[in-house]
Amino acid sequence: MILPRYRIADSSIPGAGRGLFLEEAVAPGRIVVAPDNIPATQRWESIRARPDAAAAMAAAVRWFEDQCTVSLDWPDECYVNHSFSPNGLWHLGFIFAARPLRAGEELTVDYRHLLPEGEQEAFRDAASGEAIVGFSWAESLARSTRELAALQAA
């Protein structure tokens, strides 16, 4: 569920396709996207073994440990694009505003939180050209928890 008003449009990130743009300002630390309608999670290895593995892996998002969801229908939340300097903070399936967000701004998160440990995204970071490789669960949780605590303390 995307809480502020938004629109889906061509991304401002080269090669990213479409993106999710906020239609209203959001204060730092506020929830921008909250999980809803999550019927089940699957282990990454189960997703890799599916007959439609390529499509399923491209539509998979890690929620915790090695548990992922697959959204082959591409709900609007799937249009949040990657950045190594994101304006959104992914934490346990929620996206928080990592700083003040302006109306009209494209929402981004660091995909290393969404990928299984060591799994490399099919594309590279548009700004740096660097590979996007999933954090370990411990590193992802520690990083996002520290960042969220700092946001909430400010």
Side-chain angles (χ1 to χ4, degrees):
M1 144 184 14
I2 303 164
L3 299 175
R5 289 185 321 276
Y6 70 94
R7 64 186 165 82
I8 305 300
D10 290 341
S11 177
S12 59
I13 301 168
R18 296 173 59 89
L20 190 149
F21 292 82
L22 303 174
E23 290 290 303
E24 57 189 271
V26 180
R30 299 297 304 195
I31 295 171
V32 182
V33 178
D36 69 336
N37 197 23
I38 307 298
T41 62
Q42 303 172 44
R43 292 186 174 282
W44 183 246
E45 290 307 315
S46 297
I47 296 167
R48 196 187 294 270
R50 290 170 53 145
D52 62 346
M57 288 166 40
V61 171
R62 178 176 66 182
W63 288 83
F64 61 93
E65 296 178 355
D66 70 341
Q67 297 293 311
C68 302
T69 57
V70 177
S71 298
L72 293 171
D73 60 344
W74 278 79
D76 286 351
E77 291 86 346
C78 292
Y79 292 101
V80 175
N81 284 314
H82 163 79
S83 174
F84 282 141
S85 300
N87 57 14
L89 169 63
W90 175 272
H91 181 74
L92 297 173
F94 289 84
I95 300 175
F96 293 83
R99 59 170 174 69
L101 302 177
R102 300 175 317 278
E105 193 168 355
E106 183 174 359
L107 184 62
T108 59
V109 296
D110 186 337
Y111 277 15
R112 294 176 295 181
H113 292 285
L114 284 66
L115 294 167
E117 179 175 359
E119 191 73 26
Q120 184 170 322
E121 186 59 82
F123 54 86
R124 293 183 169 271
D125 178 71
S128 68
E130 291 179 47
I132 305 164
V133 180
F135 291 135
S136 71
W137 167 245
E139 182 175 5
S140 174
L141 185 59
R143 281 178 180 243
S144 66
T145 300
R146 279 192 308 270
E147 291 178 37
L148 183 58
L151 275 172
Q152 297 302 319

